[in-house]
Amino acid sequence: MTVEHKQRRTVSDRLAERLAATRFGRRASHRWAELRRRPVPNHWTNLFGIVTAACVLVLFVTGLVLMFFYTPSNEVVTYSGSYAPLRGAEVSKAFDSTMHVSFDVPGGLLVRQAHHWAALLLPASVILQMLSIFFTGGFRRPRRATWVLLFLVFVAALAGGWSGYALPDDMLSGTGLRIVEGIVLGIPFIGTDVSRLLFGGAFPGSVLANLYPLHLAVSVALVALLVVRAGLWLRKRSPQFRGSGRTETRVMGVPLVPNAARRGLGLGLLVSGILVLISATVTISPIWLYGPSSPADASAGSQPDWYTGFLDGALRLVPPGWEFVWLDRTWTLALLVPLAVITLALAVVAVYPFLEEWIADDHRDHHLLDRPRDTPTRTGIGVAGLTFFGVLWLAGSADLVAVAFSLTIEGVIATLQLLVLLGPIIAFELTRRVCLGLQRKDREVVLHGFETGRIVRLPGGEYIEVHGRISDDERQRLVGVVDQVPAVLRPDARGRLTPARRLRARLSRFFFEDRIARPEAPGDAAAPLERPAV
């Protein structure tokens, strides 16, 4: 005789059923189903965002731990901690609390170094993410807002790194704050007031008490920007490279949940583990060797963190004597010119999606990414910008370069001054020529196939090289490029040719004229089959 046992429903089962029957439960189930159906292109450039998120997670967790031990105060106390060489020295409360974390709190040095290493890796991951988006055209409509948010993430990472750099109040960070004070005081009209507001009086004043809340606010803003950007990314269709079956409306890839989410979680844990491993084995910011900050002293050979080196380099490249007196004030161009140039360059980076859209007169949505070679002018602009910032970054260590290679500092600075002016122009033209050459090579591959290295002899005695047919996916990737034609100069509604329209037409011709013609459709590009050996 068969006995049927009725399955008992647990409390959690009943609660789940009731929750699923509510409006919130139905919306959550619908959203979860959408995430499971959402395809995500499987490309290595998508990994930079995960690295950024992992760095922010490490920064957030370690920062919360350090908050309980750090004291943001310039008040002088006598050090009595475990580090014997500094015992009895007069230090600030900020330096004393940092030393306490490093030597007296179990695992404190690991947490502090993980915080610092993550702060160094974060700008690198954001820069690589911005470069991958820029060179592939991923910033175009409808993703202009996500580009601006990513730029703000970069700015927040710089601001957070700079403000956190000064918090230990060691000799190295004190030297950096002294440089900041000189820069701020050099600003006409408002420099003195801004310095008094930042430092709270004569240097060093109460600068740490003012920087600490700024550091916290920037950290919160950084997390908020990433959350908003992730929300916008979920609302938009994922961009993808051209290929067989991929169109502006059809995305091919792995499901977001669970495949892409599982891979992202694995990479995030791997990055976090590597950061912890580096923090446990490689010393960084050894403030016990630098000693406490002293307003009357400076650290010899001090260098800023790598992500702010271009700011220091911009100041070093300005020729001496660039100043004049006007309105009873001394205007120091050696300070104002670098600030203006860097601000303008960063502003161009922020608004570039809008500039290119205006130049191209293209207001369509783009979900297919470009290969860098297919947009030679944009790629040239990107390489020119990298060259410009790279020269500035190198100039930040001009003194070390001169010492390492036994050169004069004057010669190194003169060479870098020349490179910062001519380097971007040369880099732009070379990059554009290389892109056009690669386009020409792609056309030959589409029309005649790829070289196999096999040489055969025909019945007539002629020797030829056998060419193989490229795959359909590769053919679609090479010939599916949409050639952007220059904008046509047309009058406005009143029949006028305004200067803005003329300027856009000229810039559009400059931007889109140099391109190698491609076959119009995959069927027009017949690559010959391999010929059998005779």
Side-chain angles (χ1 to χ4, degrees):
M1 182 176 180
T2 304
V3 180
E4 296 182 357
H5 296 279
K6 186 176 181 180
Q7 185 178 4
R8 297 185 58 183
R9 295 167 58 196
T10 62
V11 176
S12 59
D13 293 336
R14 292 194 295 268
L15 290 177
E17 290 180 359
R18 292 181 181 180
L19 181 61
T22 62
R23 182 178 179 182
F24 172 79
R26 289 191 296 269
R27 293 183 62 181
S29 300
H30 178 69
R31 188 59 178 168
W32 180 254
E34 286 184 352
L35 294 178
R36 293 181 65 88
R37 293 192 303 266
R38 178 188 174 102
V40 178
N42 191 16
H43 197 266
W44 61 269
T45 55
N46 299 330
L47 304 180
F48 294 129
I50 301 173
V51 176
T52 299
C55 292
V56 172
L57 177 62
V58 173
L59 283 171
F60 188 77
V61 173
T62 55
L64 284 179
V65 175
L66 294 175
M67 283 178 58
F68 293 100
F69 302 97
Y70 179 73
T71 303
S73 174
N74 290 96
E75 183 180 348
V76 177
V77 296
T78 301
Y79 177 72
S80 58
S82 302
Y83 189 68
L86 286 179
R87 197 171 296 159
E90 292 187 347
V91 300
S92 65
K93 284 187 175 181
F95 185 87
D96 182 70
S97 61
T98 308
M99 290 290 291
H100 175 71
V101 170
S102 302
F103 287 94
D104 300 320
V105 176
L109 182 59
L110 175 65
V111 173
R112 192 174 73 83
Q113 293 194 151
H115 192 78
H116 201 136
W117 278 115
L120 292 179
L121 181 60
L122 176 60
S125 63
V126 175
I127 290 174
L128 291 175
Q129 188 177 2
M130 293 182 67
L131 290 178
S132 65
I133 293 174
F134 178 85
F135 285 117
T136 59
F139 54 80
R140 293 173 295 180
R141 189 187 293 262
R143 297 173 187 85
R144 299 176 302 174
T146 57
W147 170 266
V148 176
L149 287 173
L150 186 59
F151 173 79
L152 294 178
V153 169
F154 173 68
V155 174
L158 295 185
W162 169 78
S163 56
Y165 176 83
L167 293 182
D169 198 34
D170 58 298
M171 181 64 71
L172 185 61
S173 63
T175 303
L177 284 177
R178 176 65 84 177
I179 296 174
V180 171
E181 183 203 23
I183 294 174
V184 172
L185 290 175
I187 302 176
F189 294 103
I190 63 173
T192 304
D193 295 332
V194 173
S195 176
R196 187 181 299 112
L197 178 64
L198 177 62
F199 291 91
F203 184 86
S206 57
V207 61
L208 298 181
N210 297 332
L211 279 182
Y212 186 66
L214 174 63
H215 185 70
L216 297 180
V218 170
S219 302
V220 173
L222 179 62
V223 175
L225 288 171
L226 287 177
V227 170
V228 173
R229 190 174 186 277
L232 291 179
W233 178 80
L234 288 175
R235 294 178 57 185
K236 308 293 182 182
R237 188 181 299 121
S238 298
Q240 61 184 344
F241 286 93
R242 302 179 188 276
S244 179
R246 301 172 184 175
T247 64
E248 292 284 358
T249 57
R250 183 185 180 188
V251 180
M252 298 183 63
V254 298
L256 176 59
V257 178
N259 301 61
R262 190 177 299 161
R263 294 179 182 180
L265 179 61
L267 177 62
L269 294 177
L270 180 63
V271 173
S272 303
I274 291 176
L275 284 173
V276 174
L277 178 62
I278 294 176
S279 304
T281 55
V282 182
T283 302
I284 190 170
S285 185
I287 62 171
W288 52 91
L289 299 180
Y290 302 147
S293 175
S294 174
D297 300 321
S299 178
S302 60
Q303 298 291 314
D305 280 337
W306 74 267
Y307 48 83
T308 57
F310 71 96
L311 299 173
D312 190 13
L315 296 174
R316 298 190 183 197
L317 290 185
V318 179
W322 275 23
E323 62 183 32
F324 61 92
V325 177
W326 184 49
L327 298 178
D328 293 332
R329 286 176 171 82
T330 300
W331 297 71
T332 306
L333 296 181
L335 171 65
L336 298 179
V337 170
L339 290 178
V341 171
I342 294 299
T343 302
L344 179 61
L346 293 178
V348 170
V349 173
V351 303
Y352 183 84
F354 306 93
L355 291 177
E356 183 173 314
E357 181 176 316
W358 178 75
I359 292 172
D361 197 18
D362 183 9
H363 307 288
R364 300 169 298 172
D365 288 349
H366 294 273
H367 302 290
L368 290 177
L369 301 174
D370 297 326
R371 293 192 305 164
R373 67 182 65 181
D374 295 328
T375 55
T377 303
R378 179 201 298 156
T379 304
I381 292 174
V383 174
L386 286 177
T387 304
F388 174 75
F389 281 101
V391 174
L392 294 183
W393 179 79
L394 183 61
S397 300
D399 52 342
L400 298 183
V401 172
V403 172
F405 294 96
S406 301
L407 302 173
T408 62
I409 185 64
E410 294 81 4
V412 173
I413 292 296
T415 303
L416 294 176
Q417 288 172 343
L418 187 64
L419 282 178
V420 80
L421 297 176
L422 300 182
I425 300 174
I426 297 174
F428 171 80
E429 191 59 30
L430 286 178
T431 302
R432 191 162 63 164
R433 293 296 106 190
V434 170
C435 290
L436 293 176
L438 292 175
Q439 287 186 23
R440 189 176 293 107
K441 179 183 177 182
D442 288 345
R443 177 179 174 82
E444 293 296 323
V445 170
V446 170
L447 292 176
H448 306 294
F450 62 91
E451 299 177 355
T452 62
R454 292 176 55 197
I455 306 297
V456 299
R457 181 181 179 183
L458 300 182
E462 178 186 2
Y463 289 91
I464 65 171
E465 181 183 9
V466 175
H467 283 208
R469 184 190 298 273
I470 61 177
S471 64
D472 292 338
D473 185 73
E474 182 71 10
R475 185 189 304 275
Q476 180 65 32
R477 188 171 67 94
L478 295 180
V479 304
V481 180
V482 179
D483 286 331
Q484 178 72 44
V485 297
V488 180
L489 179 60
R490 295 189 181 93
D492 59 9
R494 297 183 180 181
R496 299 177 303 175
L497 292 175
T498 60
R501 288 178 175 268
R502 295 180 185 274
L503 176 62
R504 180 170 64 180
R506 292 178 180 176
L507 292 176
S508 184
R509 285 196 302 270
F510 169 76
F511 205 93
F512 298 109
E513 265 186 343
D514 288 341
R515 288 199 176 188
I516 304 300
R518 303 292 182 92
E520 296 182 359
D524 298 335
L529 293 172
E530 285 193 10
R531 301 178 183 177
V534 179

